[in-house]
Amino acid sequence: MGLFRAGGVVYKPVEELDLGPNSNELYVEANIKAPRMGGFLAKIVAWILESRIFGTLVLYMLKRMNRVHTFISNATLEEPPMFVPLHPFVDLHEQEVMEIHCDASASEKVQQAVDCLPLTLENSLDTSKPGCFRRWTIMDYSRAYKSGEITPLKVAELFIDAVRESSSSPLPVCFFINYDPEDILRQAAESTLRYERGAPISALDGVPIAVKDEIDCSPYPTTGGTKWLHKVRPCTGDACCIARLRSCGAILVGKTNMHELGATPSGTNPHYGAPRNPYDPSRISGGSSSGSAAIVSAGLCPAALGVDGGGSVRMPASLSGVVGFKPTFGRIPHSGVIPLNWTVGMVGILAGTLEDAFIVYAAISGALPSEETTTLPPKVHFPLLNSTNPISNIKLARYGAWFNDCNEEVRLCCSNALQLLCEHYHWKAVEVTIPEIEVMRLAHYVTIGSECSSSLSSYLENLDRSELGWDTRIAVDIYSAFDSNEYIKAQKLRYRHMQIHNKIFTKAEVIVTPTTGMTAYPITKDALTTGELDYINGATIIRYQIAGNFLGLPAVTVPVGYDKAGLPIGLQFIGKPWSEPTLMHIALAMQALCITNYRKPKVFYDILDKK
């Protein structure tokens, strides 16, 4: 392919980059050269890519046209490769936190989290006012159970009825790939007995929690959204995060739908249906943790687990109007999660409120003893969300060209939310420049694609391709086109961008961005049968997600408003490594300013109200 060889960028040293607001570093917009592929076109493209002669040429040209060759393959840079985004623990001396003993059990940590919670929503929000809406929280369930207003068994029965109802509607929401009413009722009956004896395990006892079908959870197979993966990779027990939730008494209600192998941000699955957006069932809920986002948004669960390899928790959370929280890489054990992308993927939490995300985080965080190294293990601090001394002097880094690279309604909503936040708490937005954002997106794509291809290679060799959705067939072929040189260059860029972000974090506590560049787009008819690859919309949705995954940084999205069509918009905060407490303080502050304007989804199941 020497005839078509593209020139490569020569990257100057990080020390020479100007990260100030008046920098000459240019903001490079995404320039996607690929059509939307669904229906018959998806089939044609898959057949071409699977042709030995034409496929190799087309893949080469796709990488060239989409600047992979320019920014990565043929680039020159001096940085060493960084293969895993592990961060040495540094005590950040965060405001208003308490240290948690490393040997505390999951249930003990849940209680400590509950002790950190602020005034309950039931006292701070008057839901009797017209238009005022909130979802039931974990503490609502806990209080209702303790008072005897309702039992976990009754909640389980109402839950099962609601799922059946959702499946029979004209536009079925398709929350689940697998759920077992008998197992749900068994767990609920055991929880009910504990409450009757006055001995609930924790605030999570009897609370319904859903699990993305990328995480092992007995008695279900783990499909990864496929029709075949569970046959060659059987689930032999609970993932670590699931075992911890189970030890707290949570009712694990099933495996939620997801995009096949987490291939795109749409979340639509041709095998198991489209997890539709509760705010508009004709639109996507976002992926790849689409079912988890939809089930929380629709009120069936106060929280659900997802896996975030490229914004796959935060994007659907934002598009579906809920909170999405992704901790620092390594904060939650990855044991028992399909290893599709082992250096960028991370278990995350989708929840109706920041408080609920915090409670679930408390239950599942903390390294396994077998994962401890000779380095200093990271301390766990919880935010004192009930403190009478709010955190102060917070600086939020904003890169204007990047922040504004979204549709107008998203830009205005997020700008207004940021201004309100800073004015109300006397915080400051600091203008910065974060160079090479598009380069980082491409380097992440090379990384996640290469790791997914490597992880699945032994399975795909003997797999009948007809068992894959057409969109996933295309994605897998593109993933396999990256070579070792490109993977190494991408890891060099990972190290480079770690240094850039470390410099940004000397100027501010967090980086603030819109969560997605657009609101949820319509589900097309062909996507329901073949799936779809829409790289243009996909790049717009994923635009602000990459640092959280590629660099292993913690990040959280909070709902801050709606577009003219009533579709949710989220604002994202990206933090320093191990700064989860500060992120939660800031996210709760943002939530407190917006919560009175939250709107009820068109698809919503008010389970506790039926008691």
Side-chain angles (χ1 to χ4, degrees), residues 272-550:
Y272 302 105
R276 298 176 181 274
N277 195 315
Y279 281 89
D280 182 347
S282 71
R283 294 176 182 265
I284 64 169
S285 58
S288 61
S289 304
S290 43
S292 290
I295 204 166
V296 173
S297 180
L300 283 170
C301 296
L305 295 188
V307 180
D308 194 317
S312 291
V313 163
R314 292 161 288 148
M315 293 184 297
S318 176
L319 296 176
S320 299
V322 298
V323 171
F325 180 59
K326 177 215 161 291
T328 306
F329 183 86
R331 182 66 95 180
I332 297 172
H334 213 62
S335 170
V337 181
I338 299 175
L340 294 177
N341 32 71
W342 52 86
T343 75
V344 295
M346 188 75 195
V347 173
I349 303 148
L350 301 98
T353 66
L354 187 279
E355 294 95 326
D356 285 351
F358 174 32
I359 291 172
V360 175
Y361 165 76
I364 66 177
S365 61
L368 289 169
S370 59
E371 294 176 342
E372 291 180 0
T373 64
T374 55
T375 60
L376 184 68
K379 294 180 181 179
V380 177
H381 291 98
F382 283 178
L384 294 170
L385 301 179
N386 55 5
S387 173
T388 56
N389 299 311
I391 60 174
S392 59
N393 300 319
I394 296 296
K395 294 179 181 177
L396 304 99
R398 177 186 179 275
Y399 179 21
W402 184 36
F403 191 103
N404 294 331
D405 189 12
C406 52
N407 78 28
E408 187 66 6
E409 290 185 83
V410 171
R411 184 189 70 79
L412 284 173
C413 180
C414 290
S415 295
N416 291 338
L418 176 59
Q419 182 179 354
L420 178 64
L421 182 70
C422 290
E423 289 178 353
H424 190 273
Y425 295 100
H426 306 292
W427 297 345
K428 184 178 181 181
V430 179
E431 294 296 325
V432 298
T433 298
I434 307 176
E436 304 165 17
I437 292 290
E438 175 64 2
V439 174
M440 185 167 61
R441 184 187 71 82
L442 291 172
H444 168 268
Y445 190 70
V446 168
T447 301
I448 195 171
S450 299
E451 292 178 359
C452 184
S453 180
S454 175
S455 174
L456 298 173
S457 60
S458 61
Y459 304 140
L460 295 176
E461 287 176 1
N462 302 313
L463 181 70
D464 180 352
R465 286 287 177 120
S466 66
E467 291 201 57
L468 289 168
W470 290 98
D471 57 342
T472 306
R473 286 170 71 165
I474 296 170
V476 166
D477 287 331
I478 294 172
Y479 294 165
S480 66
F482 299 122
D483 60 28
S484 57
N485 168 64
E486 289 159 345
Y487 185 76
I488 295 295
K489 290 282 181 70
Q491 307 322 298
K492 286 171 171 270
L493 286 164
R494 193 198 308 248
Y495 182 90
R496 177 180 178 84
H497 281 272
M498 195 77 82
Q499 307 314 305
I500 291 172
H501 280 72
N502 285 343
K503 287 178 173 288
I504 296 294
F505 285 130
T506 65
K507 303 172 183 287
E509 279 73 28
V510 299
I511 298 168
V512 60
T513 73
T515 308
T516 61
M518 63 188 295
T519 51
Y521 62 81
I523 298 169
T524 58
K525 187 175 180 181
D526 59 3
L528 297 175
T529 55
T530 63
E532 68 171 351
L533 279 176
D534 187 341
Y535 280 113
I536 294 176
N537 278 334
T540 304
I541 290 174
I542 203 172
R543 179 158 298 141
Y544 304 102
Q545 303 300 305
I546 302 306
N549 301 106
F550 196 48

Side-chain angles (χ1 to χ4, degrees), residues 100-116 138-139 142 146 194-195 199-206 240-250 358-366 382:
I100 305 302
H101 197 281
C102 61
D103 293 331
S105 68
S107 59
E108 289 170 338
K109 287 191 287 185
V110 165
Q111 183 56 53
Q112 290 171 314
V114 169
D115 292 340
C116 293
I138 288 170
M139 295 311 298
S142 180
K146 287 180 179 178
R194 290 193 290 270
Y195 277 99
I201 300 172
S202 74
L204 282 171
D205 205 333
C240 176
C241 56
I242 299 301
R244 288 175 175 176
L245 285 174
R246 205 182 291 278
S247 73
C248 293
F358 174 32
I359 291 172
V360 175
Y361 165 76
I364 66 177
S365 61
F382 283 178

Side-chain angles (χ1 to χ4, degrees), residues 61-258:
M61 295 306 296
L62 279 173
K63 290 198 293 183
R64 177 188 169 96
M65 290 189 300
N66 288 283
R67 301 183 291 194
V68 173
H69 290 167
T70 300
F71 289 141
I72 298 178
S73 314
N74 303 326
T76 301
L77 68 165
E78 298 302 320
E79 283 82 4
M82 182 179 196
F83 294 101
V84 182
L86 290 174
H87 299 275
F89 178 74
V90 176
D91 195 333
L92 301 173
H93 303 291
E94 295 172 280
Q95 302 177 50
E96 302 303 321
V97 300
M98 63 178 292
E99 185 172 346
I100 305 302
H101 197 281
C102 61
D103 293 331
S105 68
S107 59
E108 289 170 338
K109 287 191 287 185
V110 165
Q111 183 56 53
Q112 290 171 314
V114 169
D115 292 340
C116 293
L117 295 182
L119 179 71
T120 60
L121 283 175
E122 66 176 359
N123 294 327
S124 61
L125 189 63
D126 184 1
T127 55
S128 66
K129 292 181 179 179
C132 194
F133 164 75
R134 74 174 180 88
R135 294 175 176 85
W136 297 113
T137 67
I138 288 170
M139 295 311 298
D140 288 329
Y141 281 91
S142 180
R143 282 188 289 267
Y145 294 156
K146 287 180 179 178
S147 69
E149 294 176 48
I150 197 169
T151 66
L153 187 57
K154 181 61 177 178
V155 164
E157 291 168 351
L158 293 170
F159 175 89
I160 293 165
D161 289 344
V163 173
R164 287 173 178 159
E165 180 184 334
S166 73
S167 301
S168 59
S169 63
L171 292 176
V173 182
C174 302
F175 295 116
F176 288 107
I177 288 177
N178 272 304
Y179 88 106
D180 183 347
E182 185 177 328
D183 183 66
I184 295 169
L185 292 171
R186 178 191 59 77
Q187 294 178 73
E190 292 173 356
S191 178
T192 298
L193 282 175
R194 290 193 290 270
Y195 277 99
E196 289 175 351
R197 294 168 182 160
I201 300 172
S202 74
L204 282 171
D205 205 333
V207 176
I209 305 283
V211 181
K212 184 181 183 181
D213 201 9
E214 195 176 334
I215 304 170
D216 288 340
C217 176
S218 296
Y220 304 101
T222 303
T223 72
T226 72
K227 299 292 284 187
W228 56 270
L229 186 58
H230 58 290
K231 300 173 186 176
V232 294
R233 182 197 173 275
C235 173
T236 57
D238 287 338
C240 176
C241 56
I242 299 301
R244 288 175 175 176
L245 285 174
R246 205 182 291 278
S247 73
C248 293
I251 299 177
L252 302 164
V253 294
K255 305 297 284 295
T256 55
N257 207 342
M258 59 177 286

